[in-house]
Amino acid sequence: MRDPLGPVPFRTAAAASGAAALGLALTALALPGCGGGGGGGPGGGDADVVVVMAASSLTDVLGEVSASFETLGGSGPAGGPAAVTVVPVLAGSSALVAQLAEGADADILMTADAATMQRAVGNGSVQGEVASVAANALVLAVAPGNPGQVASLEDLSRTDLLVGLCAAGVPCGTLADRALNRLGVEPAVDTRELNARALATKIALGELDAGLVYATDAAASGLETVAASGLGRFANSYLMASIDADPPAAVRVVLAAFEPGGLGAEAMLEAGFGPP
C-alpha cells in the first residue's frame, strides 16, 4: 500500500513508451546543458548531464538507467557521447533533502517516502510537480544461513540476537517503526543505519542476525528472508520531482523515463518495486 504521509501535490503521470523516451533522448542531442549538470557538469563531454539525487535503495535502478541512456544515446563505433548522461547522487532521503536545503546542485529528487519529499517541497528546494513512481515493501531479512534461527517477526525482540533497523527519521526507519508498533512487536535494536542499503549490507556480511529492509534491497544483496505475517502491507511510495518548476528538455527526458512503459519504470519493476 502507499505510505499516507502528508499532502503532496501529485501529478498524473501520462503513459510514455520506452520508444518515446528514447526518441526524446535522441532529440536532446541538440539541446544545451541543463540544471545541476549542464554540458560541462560531472559527465562532461557533449552530453546533457542530469543530476539525480535518489534514495540509496534506488542504487541499482539508477545504475541501470544511467547505463541505458549511455547505450541508447551513443553514436559512433565506441558509443560516442550520450544524448543524456544521468549522474546519480545516492544517500538516505532525509540526507538528500537536507543537502538540497543547504544549496546542493541537482536536477531531480527521488525520495523513498512522501514525508521527505514534502519537506523538500515545503522549504522550496523542489518546485516541480511531484509524481509517485513506485512502491517498496518491508521484509524480514536474516544473515546468511540464518544463524540466529529467526522464525518470525517476534524474534526481533530477542536480546540474544543482533538486530538492525534503519535510523528513525529516514523513510525505511519510519516505516519499520510504524510496522512494528502496529504489529505489537518491541524490537531489541542494536544498531540504526542511515539508509536501507547500509542495513542490508551489514546483514549480508553477517554483522547482524536480522533486520527490516526493503524487499528490493534484500533482493539486490541476495539476502534470505523469513515470512512475517502482516509485514507485507507496510510499504513506502517512491516520489520523483524536478528541482525547477520548468525543467530543461534533458531533465524532462529523464522524468519521462519513469512514466509507465519507460526504461526507468521497467527497471524499477525488474528490481522488485511495486507499482505506484
Side-chain angles (χ1 to χ4, degrees):
M1 72 177 186
R2 296 183 186 179
D3 187 44
L5 285 177
V8 175
F10 293 105
R11 70 180 173 88
T12 301
S17 68
L22 172 56
L24 284 169
L26 296 176
T27 301
L29 274 167
L31 299 170
C34 62
D46 297 325
D48 283 304
V49 176
V50 177
V51 178
V52 180
M53 280 189 157
S56 63
S57 45
L58 291 166
T59 297
D60 299 309
V61 168
L62 266 294
E64 183 173 338
V65 169
S66 180
S68 295
F69 270 112
E70 291 284 351
T71 300
L72 296 176
S75 62
V84 175
T85 294
V86 177
V87 178
V89 177
L90 301 155
S93 298
S94 298
L96 295 174
V97 170
Q99 290 170 26
L100 281 174
E102 293 169 1
D105 204 3
D107 297 295
I108 291 171
L109 175 66
M110 299 181 75
T111 66
D113 73 349
T116 45
M117 180 63 79
Q118 184 61 57
R119 288 204 297 273
V121 172
N123 66 26
S125 298
V126 168
Q127 299 180 12
E129 292 182 306
V130 178
S132 179
V133 295
N136 209 356
L138 287 175
V139 295
L140 174 56
V142 296
N146 194 9
Q149 298 184 331
V150 176
S152 69
L153 200 61
E154 287 70 22
D155 283 330
L156 295 183
S157 299
R158 288 167 45 192
T159 57
D160 62 310
L161 296 180
L162 290 175
V163 174
L165 297 177
C166 289
V170 302
C172 57
T174 299
L175 184 62
D177 289 340
R178 182 185 305 125
L180 292 169
N181 180 59
R182 292 184 182 177
L183 294 172
V185 176
E186 186 172 350
V189 182
D190 294 283
T191 183
R192 290 270 189 170
E193 298 299 316
L194 293 178
N195 59 69
R197 184 53 62 94
L199 178 57
T201 298
K202 283 198 170 185
I203 298 171
L205 292 173
E207 296 177 10
L208 295 171
D209 293 304
L212 296 185
V213 300
Y214 290 128
T216 56
D217 287 302
S221 300
L223 289 174
E224 181 181 346
T225 61
V226 173
S229 178
L231 188 60
R233 63 188 175 91
F234 293 92
N236 273 342
S237 290
Y238 279 61
L239 306 182
M240 181 178 197
S242 61
I243 302 303
D244 296 329
D246 185 20
V251 175
R252 296 197 301 271
V253 166
V254 179
L255 294 171
F258 285 87
E259 293 176 356
L263 61 89
E266 293 302 315
M268 294 194 86
L269 291 174
E270 291 173 5
F273 287 88

